[in-house]
Amino acid sequence: MWIYFLLSAIALLTLLVRRKYSYWKCRGVPFIQPRFPFGSITPVGDRVHSSLLMTRFYNQLKGTHPFAGMYFFTNPVVLALDLDFIKNILVRDFQYFHDRGLYHNEKDDPLTCHLFNIEGTKWTNLRRKLLPTFSSGKMKMMCPTILEIADRFRTSVEKCLTEQTEIEMRDFLARFTTDVIGTCAFGIDCNSLENPEAEFLKMGNKIFEVPTSRIIAYFFVSTFKELSKKLHIKAVPNDVSQFFYNVVRETIAFRQNSGVQRNDFMNLLMQLKEKGELEGSDEKLGTLTLDEVVAQAYVFFLGGYETSSTNMCFCLYELALNEEIQERARECVQRAVAKHGGLNYEALMDMPYLEQCIFEALRKYPPIANLFRSVTQDYTVPNSNVTLPKGMNVWVPVYAIHHDPEFFPNPELYDPDRFTPEQCAKRKPFTYMPFGEGPRTCIATRFGMMETKTGLATLLMNFKFAKAARLQVPPKFSTKHVMLTAVGGLWVKVEKIGK
């Protein structure tokens, strides 16, 4: 009897899966053929980084339709293919695509309720409160702190050079950004440049180096958000959550008891928590709860730690392979430093060619390879009879668009001159999106660029870089990292520049 029951259950499941997997075919939309249970995503045994997977799909279906259909597990998903459709998603019809559709659980996992994840009016209100903390004035205020850490960064590289001439720079860059973000976000001297076992560095590595089990869990909670909340599933590991809560509580308590004030992000968050406004401003922004303070400090750490170190890593990789470009970037830095009397905020804002190098690295290696949006109300695609239902997810393949030869001829060539003012003025909108586009563009772009320029300017002023034997060319992207990360690290020959 039980055999008949089992066979009936299998037959019913097969019928349901086939029905699910016929969603795009029934609507006449070209789609990526799914395979149960993963859908269109690559099975674990044959995994590639999502950037390359989406590029494969994009190249396969571009020009056939404004978008293509995919499946995550059994859920239909949209892959954007056309620039005008992308503009609708990110800007023109933003009210239909207000949210990213990422998992957050205020009750069980409050660290997930940060600005990057949250939705609706909560996102609108929180962004309004936080936006003034990333003004150019606030960035200038934090700049001396970053420059101080950059000087320690230089000293650490010099010390390493006394023992070896080939250095793995990815680890150094991660330690630099850890110290910057630890100081600017939490007011804590992490000292990871001196101590590779620093707790903040361990936490950063744990968050971004994700095993296969966590990647599958991430897809599950992103695809079945409401079920995950009912099951009390947490996206942030307990020890990571506890670490950041303890750090924030202790920092706030120390500053309140000692009266210490610092020019950092935590000080601004405390002003919002206690008064609902920033010092020197009469604008009432509204107060933040402790959970909100911790969550925002957490996401600020994530953004400042990983995206900036990844961008610097790939930019330095390309400069090590291109001596002429590296020298032009160095001369740009030296001119700005001489003009402004040292490496300071004004000098950093006056390094156009270095900025072009950074932008071109962001084109070839965008840290966020895909943008996510969720349909917030039923949306009928213009000039189409297809309606995207509320709750469906949309992916915009940034990496694929950045490597489309229609928009960037010879896309694998590293060419900073793509980003001269003249070339930028001629570029089609929505072909370059390393920080996102539209109302949900990255709020901390200014900080990330300042941190990146400081690190690279410090290195170029003091060292020359060349390819080491252990450097893998071209880089292979790790499937164990959420963001683009080169397998094997960044091995370069380093030579000290004489004064």
Side-chain angles (χ1 to χ4, degrees):
M1 188 71 172
W2 64 271
I3 294 178
Y4 292 110
F5 176 78
L6 180 62
L7 291 174
S8 298
I10 292 172
L12 180 61
L13 177 62
T14 302
L15 186 65
L16 289 172
V17 169
R18 283 181 178 173
R19 185 178 176 185
K20 277 276 194 179
Y21 283 167
S22 67
Y23 184 90
W24 292 119
K25 185 177 181 180
C26 291
R27 286 156 179 79
V29 175
F31 63 95
I32 304 299
Q33 192 66 41
R35 289 182 288 179
F36 185 79
F38 297 100
S40 301
I41 63 175
T42 307
V44 173
D46 185 35
R47 283 176 48 224
V48 295
H49 194 273
S50 66
S51 60
L52 302 180
L53 185 63
M54 294 306 118
T55 299
R56 185 190 305 167
F57 296 160
Y58 173 87
N59 291 336
Q60 181 180 333
L61 294 170
K62 183 194 172 190
T64 61
H65 201 269
F67 60 90
M70 299 192 311
Y71 296 90
F72 271 151
F73 297 97
T74 58
N75 281 13
V77 176
V78 172
L79 177 67
L81 302 174
D82 174 76
L83 295 185
D84 200 53
F85 179 72
I86 291 170
K87 182 177 182 178
N88 289 342
I89 301 298
L90 300 180
V91 178
R92 191 182 287 146
D93 295 325
F94 178 72
Q95 68 271 27
Y96 292 91
F97 303 94
H98 191 276
D99 305 328
R100 287 197 171 99
L102 301 176
Y103 181 70
H104 57 281
N105 185 340
E106 189 172 357
K107 180 181 177 182
D108 302 300
D109 200 6
L111 244 61
T112 57
C113 295
H114 49 68
L115 191 65
F116 193 81
N117 283 357
I118 61 173
E119 302 173 342
T121 54
K122 284 187 176 180
W123 170 80
T124 303
N125 292 334
L126 185 59
R127 185 179 174 92
R128 184 179 64 85
K129 294 175 184 177
L130 294 178
L131 194 58
T133 67
F134 292 99
S135 68
S136 56
K138 297 294 188 295
M139 295 303 99
K140 187 174 183 179
M141 181 181 71
M142 294 184 192
C143 188
T145 301
I146 300 176
L147 289 169
E148 184 181 326
I149 296 168
D151 196 52
R152 299 210 304 261
F153 179 35
R154 173 190 57 78
T155 302
S156 295
V157 176
E158 286 177 349
K159 183 178 178 181
C160 188
L161 278 177
T162 61
E163 301 172 1
Q164 59 194 88
T165 56
E166 294 190 0
I167 299 177
E168 202 289 284
M169 286 299 298
R170 188 179 74 187
D171 177 60
F172 261 115
L173 292 167
R175 285 153 63 187
F176 166 65
T177 56
T178 297
D179 283 359
V180 168
I181 209 67
T183 301
C184 291
F186 299 93
I188 293 175
D189 188 358
C190 305
N191 201 31
S192 67
L193 284 166
E194 292 296 324
N195 176 21
E197 299 300 314
E199 201 67 20
F200 264 95
L201 190 61
K202 286 183 179 179
M203 288 297 158
N205 290 334
K206 181 165 188 175
I207 294 164
F208 286 101
E209 290 181 8
V210 287
T212 299
S213 59
R214 271 185 62 199
I215 290 176
I216 293 174
Y218 167 76
F219 281 128
F220 182 86
V221 298
S222 296
T223 308
F224 307 106
K225 292 188 285 291
E226 294 308 315
L227 175 61
S228 299
K229 288 179 182 178
K230 290 178 181 178
L231 295 174
H232 309 288
I233 293 177
K234 295 183 177 182
V236 181
N238 284 330
D239 57 339
V240 173
S241 181
Q242 193 61 49
F243 172 79
F244 281 99
Y245 263 93
N246 288 342
V247 167
V248 171
R249 284 197 189 100
E250 290 169 8
T251 301
I252 290 175
F254 171 75
R255 294 192 185 187
Q256 286 175 336
N257 294 332
S258 65
V260 168
Q261 289 200 13
R262 295 177 58 123
N263 291 327
D264 57 20
F265 187 59
M266 182 57 68
N267 187 51
L268 301 175
L269 289 178
M270 286 178 62
Q271 290 174 24
L272 291 175
K273 178 179 180 293
E274 293 164 11
K275 302 175 184 177
E277 62 182 53
L278 297 176
E279 206 170 275
S281 171
D282 296 328
E283 185 180 1
K284 297 291 182 182
L285 298 169
T287 58
L288 297 177
T289 65
L290 177 64
D291 282 348
E292 288 176 324
V293 169
V294 178
Q296 305 333 305
Y298 171 71
V299 76
F300 189 47
F301 172 79
L302 299 189
Y305 164 76
E306 183 69 6
T307 56
S308 294
S309 65
T310 297
N311 183 213
M312 281 192 284
C313 188
F314 283 119
C315 190
L316 196 61
Y317 162 86
E318 292 289 352
L319 294 179
L321 297 180
N322 296 276
E323 184 179 352
E324 183 180 341
I325 294 175
Q326 181 185 153
E327 192 54 39
R328 282 183 66 185
R330 181 174 295 108
E331 289 170 1
C332 169
V333 171
Q334 290 169 339
R335 280 195 303 271
V337 169
K339 178 180 175 181
H340 297 281
L343 185 58
N344 49 39
Y345 182 80
E346 288 72 22
L348 290 168
M349 297 302 109
D350 191 19
M351 297 180 181
Y353 190 73
L354 178 62
E355 199 165 272
Q356 288 174 217
C357 293
I358 294 168
F359 287 155
E360 174 66 345
L362 285 168
R363 181 197 66 80
K364 277 196 74 176
Y365 313 100
I368 305 294
N370 306 285
L371 300 179
F372 306 94
R373 293 296 183 268
S374 178
V375 183
T376 54
Q377 50 185 310
D378 290 358
Y379 176 76
T380 300
V381 179
N383 305 313
S384 164
N385 58 1
V386 177
T387 296
L388 307 181
K390 179 180 178 180
M392 180 172 282
N393 288 327
V394 180
W395 276 36
V396 178
V398 173
Y399 183 93
I401 293 168
H402 284 193
H403 287 76
D404 188 332
E406 179 185 346
F407 310 132
F408 298 97
N410 196 0
E412 297 308 316
L413 175 69
Y414 179 78
D415 180 11
D417 285 335
R418 298 182 202 268
F419 290 91
T420 62
E422 296 76 20
Q423 289 299 317
C424 289
K426 291 191 290 186
R427 183 167 300 120
K428 288 184 179 180
F430 301 94
T431 57
Y432 182 67
M433 301 176 285
F435 307 111
E437 277 290 351
R440 288 203 80 139
T441 189
C442 177
I443 194 175
T445 298
R446 277 196 188 103
F447 182 88
M449 283 298 294
M450 182 171 70
E451 181 183 22
T452 299
K453 282 198 278 189
T454 303
L456 289 174
T458 299
L459 291 175
L460 290 170
M461 286 170 61
N462 294 281
F463 309 100
K464 289 184 178 180
F465 301 91
K467 177 182 176 294
R470 283 182 280 187
L471 182 65
Q472 185 167 339
V473 180
K476 180 181 178 183
F477 301 141
S478 169
T479 59
K480 295 182 178 180
H481 289 74
V482 177
M483 298 195 182
L484 285 187
T485 303
V487 173
L490 174 64
W491 284 95
V492 288
K493 294 178 181 177
V494 185
E495 177 187 344
K496 181 82 173 73
I497 296 175
K499 296 293 184 184

